[in-house]
Structure formats: C-alpha cells, structure tokens
Amino acid sequence: KDVQKEREPHVYLSKEEVKEKIQSYNSSVTDKLKMTLNANGIYTGFIKVQMELCRPITVQSSQSQGRCAHSNNETAFYLPDGCVNTLHISSTNTVREVIEALLKKFFVADNPAKFALYKRCHKEDQVYTCKLSDREHPLYLRLVAGPRTEMLSFVLREHETGEVMWEAFSIPELKNFLRILDKEENDQLQILKNRYAAYRGKLEEALRGVLKPG
C-alpha cells in the first residue's frame, strides 16, 4: 500500500551540473527517450504518466469508445486501467502545465483543477506517493531520479473531493459532474439489486429443496 512522503526540497543545479546529469541520464536510457540541453540552459525530454482515474472523463467527441454516457456533443467514458501517456516537455514546464497538456492530448473537456499529479518512488522495498504542487517541475524530478521508472514514476489522479475548488468550475461542468454521479449511483444500485436477487434465488431454491415432500 502506498504511503505519503514529505516533499523533498528543490536543489538548484548549475548549468554544468545539469549538463553532467543529462549526460549520465542519456547514457542510462534504454528506450531512446533522451534529454537535450539547449544553449540557454533549458533542457527538454520525456516523461511517462500513468492515468489512475476512478471517475469518467468528459471528451468533446461523439466517436469515443468505452463505457459511455452522452450529453450533447460530449461523451463521458472511463479510461482503461493502467493507461500510460508519454509527453515531451521542457524543464520550465510546471505540474499544472503538464496536467493541461495531458488533458489536451486526450481531448478532455474537464477542468484541470479536478486533477493532481503524483510522484511515486520506490525506496527500501516500500512505495511512497506524494502529490506534487502546481509549481514543481516534473522534468527536473525525472532528471534527478534517472530514467528508471521503478525508481520514480508519475501518476495522474483526481483530487480528493474535499480538495476540489468547486467554485472554479462553470455551471455546465458542475451539472456534468452531477450527471456522472447519478449514473455511478444507478450503476451501483443495479449491481446491489442483481446481487441480492441472486441470493434470493439461491435461498428460495434451497427452501424448495428442504420443504419438498420426502
């Protein structure tokens, strides 16, 4: 089970230190997703983000696939479990910009404020997850940790309900959330009804066997 870990302080590296780390990083890369240092000191590279979304996302498309519920030209559907996306970003891109880029890549219409980016670290046979602040720089974290995703990986999740700034959403977005919640509630009710109907059927069958004249 994941446990929370306090954020580590950002260590500012000199241009020479960045150059050395990038050379070391690129020498360890096995998937050709290397980093590039530009003359102005900004470097670019790739990060992989695993999507761990429990709720459906809203896409402005009528062609979306999956378990769907339609509303005008929008479709709400569940992303497959373990879906991983690769983004090409720069060292200046913040967590908030990475989240926005991910949603844009999926044509997601939901407000970025619904989502949070986490880092997942493996240390001493334990897994630590920590929610990143909007101002942190994912590519810097990737560079410092090295290219091995088992040492550091990124995960996109929904905010906890109590953390969401609901006043930041438009009326149509809030109505869409309610529609999704209604659908989830109805789905869960149907699952419970089916389960108890199956139990009832088995009990009635057992009773008929016991009461059957011998």
Side-chain angles (χ1 to χ4, degrees), residues 47-51 83-87 102 105-106:
I47 62 169
K48 295 180 180 180
V49 181
Q50 183 169 346
M51 316 292 275
C83 178
V84 177
N85 210 301
T86 302
L87 284 179
L102 274 172
K105 194 169 184 177
F106 277 103

Side-chain angles (χ1 to χ4, degrees), residues 21 28 39 59 64 69 76 80 84 90 103 105 112 120 188 193 199:
K21 280 192 172 293
S28 302
V59 178
S64 300
V84 177
S90 81
L103 300 183
K105 194 169 184 177
R120 179 178 291 161
Q188 291 301 315
K193 288 179 180 179
Y199 289 161

Side-chain angles (χ1 to χ4, degrees), residues 25 35 43-47 89-93 98 137-144 154:
Y25 183 98
M35 293 195 187
Y43 52 96
T44 58
F46 299 85
I47 62 169
I89 62 174
S90 81
S91 56
T92 62
N93 289 133
V98 166
H137 298 87
L139 194 61
Y140 165 81
L141 298 175
R142 179 79 279 161
L143 175 64
V144 171
F154 296 103

Side-chain angles (χ1 to χ4, degrees), residues 131-178:
K131 186 170 70 173
L132 300 173
S133 72
D134 287 349
R135 295 184 298 276
E136 291 188 76
H137 298 87
L139 194 61
Y140 165 81
L141 298 175
R142 179 79 279 161
L143 175 64
V144 171
R148 294 172 57 190
T149 54
E150 63 267 26
M151 298 302 296
L152 172 74
S153 58
F154 296 103
V155 180
L156 185 73
R157 296 175 178 171
E158 297 96 342
H159 274 299
E160 295 294 333
T161 304
E163 299 175 338
V164 178
M165 301 288 290
W166 295 110
E167 59 271 21
F169 296 92
S170 66
I171 296 298
E173 286 175 322
L174 293 173
K175 288 182 177 179
N176 188 54
F177 297 157
L178 289 174

